[in-house]
Amino acid sequence: MTTTKFRREFDVVGDDFAGAGRVSTEIKALLKRVGYAEQTIRRVAIAVFEAEMNVVMYARRARITLDMDPEGVRILVDDVGPGIPDIEVAMQEGYSTATDRMRQMGFGAGMGLPNIRRNADEFAIESEVNSGTRVRFVVHAR
Amino acid sequence: MTPAVKLTLAEVCRVLEAEVLTGGETLDATQVTVGAGADLMSDVLAFINPEAVLLTGLANVQSIRTAVIADVKALVYVRGKQPNADGVALAEENGLPLLCTPLTMYEACGRLYQAGLPPCLLPPRCAHDNDEVQTGI
């Protein structure tokens, strides 16, 4: 495991269903190379994948910033999109505004945000309607 | 129900009368400890355990991406469904074996369960599931 801190940034494009998951797969491979524990990698990978699917399904585009150090992994997903009018409602399991197309892909069941939160040790979200949403989460290394 | 067993992918293949789409060389060496059946990838991400074999009727590329992200050991398509060439290539690239069974989801799951392969342990509800959401970053 490296003792240094480093940062990588990734761009995700909205509505790119064919490419959805590419960034999460890349981040997972990167964390493996750095040498985090398997359980840490799995939690980050699942949370980032959910976040990436959210961007593809709902936002126009997003920048994902990944910060790694021996303490853990911090992720910021900063999107340009419609925003979330009521975050508390959006955080409820099963609440979804997904379209049929999203559901055909196996997503849009209203599990995304709750599942990100469940896999993270720290989780925060803020959103502005007609502007975008920022989700930040941290998974501690163990 | 027989006691919980681990199955090699070769055994899974035999039990499900499955065809191997990719990853044939690893079938004897790869063991699975739990089984799961789902078409909803959101659910897979929420409950699946590592070292699982996942049975699904969702034959798009997202089933493969989800399996790779969630450390699924092998993906089995039910009712003879098959992913397209891009999907197979993505699975190959990530070392994910793909199988295809003519059986229905119900029968495929039933046969693996009968062979002794246990279901996933559902994660306990997290202590912070009902906490107030932190807003502002």
Side-chain angles (χ1 to χ4, degrees):
Chain A
M1 163 82 71
T2 172
T3 54
T4 54
K5 296 181 177 199
F6 63 108
R7 168 174 285 193
R8 288 280 307 272
E9 290 179 332
F10 305 85
D11 290 316
V12 179
V13 182
D15 212 40
D16 175 19
F17 281 89
R22 222 175 261 159
V23 167
S24 319
T25 310
E26 200 179 329
I27 287 175
K28 187 175 185 189
L30 181 62
L31 297 184
K32 266 189 192 168
R33 285 201 300 277
V34 171
Y36 286 102
E38 238 172 71
Q39 179 62 12
T40 305
I41 296 173
R42 190 165 186 268
R43 292 171 71 207
V44 175
I46 289 175
V48 176
F49 187 46
E50 291 279 20
E52 186 180 358
M53 288 309 303
N54 278 348
V55 172
V56 169
M57 290 191 288
Y58 299 109
R60 293 223 303 279
R61 61 175 184 276
R63 167 66 54 92
I64 297 183
T65 307
L66 167 72
D67 282 304
M68 290 167 286
D69 67 32
E71 301 295 306
V73 181
R74 307 176 72 86
I75 303 270
L76 173 66
V77 184
D78 189 354
D79 80 41
V80 176
I84 302 171
D86 188 335
I87 287 174
E88 241 180 77
V89 172
M91 287 300 301
Q92 289 170 9
E93 279 187 13
Y95 176 80
S96 176
T97 56
T99 62
D100 283 351
R101 184 177 172 215
M102 298 172 191
R103 293 180 199 272
Q104 277 163 17
M105 299 296 292
F107 287 86
M111 298 295 290
L113 287 173
N115 205 20
I116 295 172
R117 187 188 191 192
R118 189 167 305 136
N119 279 286
D121 294 301
E122 296 169 39
F123 174 89
I125 179 168
E126 65 181 14
S127 189
E128 200 179 317
V129 172
N130 295 325
S131 172
T133 300
R134 298 211 295 169
V135 176
R136 185 191 287 285
F137 56 91
V138 182
V139 176
H140 298 158
R142 50 188 72 165
Chain B
M1 173 83 186
T2 47
V5 297
K6 298 177 180 180
L7 297 178
T8 65
L9 291 183
E11 289 167 317
V12 169
C13 223
R14 191 167 35 78
V15 170
L16 298 181
E17 300 169 36
E19 175 194 345
V20 182
L21 304 177
T22 180
E25 64 289 348
T26 63
L27 295 192
D28 285 316
T30 309
Q31 274 193 329
V32 292
T33 58
V34 286
D39 289 346
L40 197 54
M41 294 302 111
S42 308
D43 273 350
V44 172
L45 290 168
F47 81 81
I48 204 159
N49 300 162
E51 301 190 338
V53 56
L54 173 63
L55 284 67
T56 185
L58 187 79
N60 64 24
V61 78
Q62 291 311 323
S63 60
I64 294 159
R65 291 221 184 263
T66 302
V68 170
I69 289 292
D71 293 332
V72 166
K73 288 278 186 182
L75 201 48
V76 182
Y77 294 105
V78 297
R79 280 184 291 121
K81 292 189 173 195
Q82 297 210 2
N84 61 22
D86 286 351
V88 176
L90 181 66
E92 263 167 21
E93 208 177 289
N94 287 283
L96 175 72
L98 298 182
L99 310 178
C100 169
T101 175
L103 305 177
T104 62
M105 175 74 101
Y106 181 74
E107 182 169 3
C109 290
R111 284 199 191 184
L112 288 179
Y113 188 79
Q114 205 164 34
L117 191 67
C120 292
L121 288 172
L122 291 178
R125 301 291 299 178
C126 261
H128 62 238
D129 268 0
N130 297 317
D131 288 358
E132 207 172 297
V133 178
Q134 185 193 334
T135 54
I137 289 183

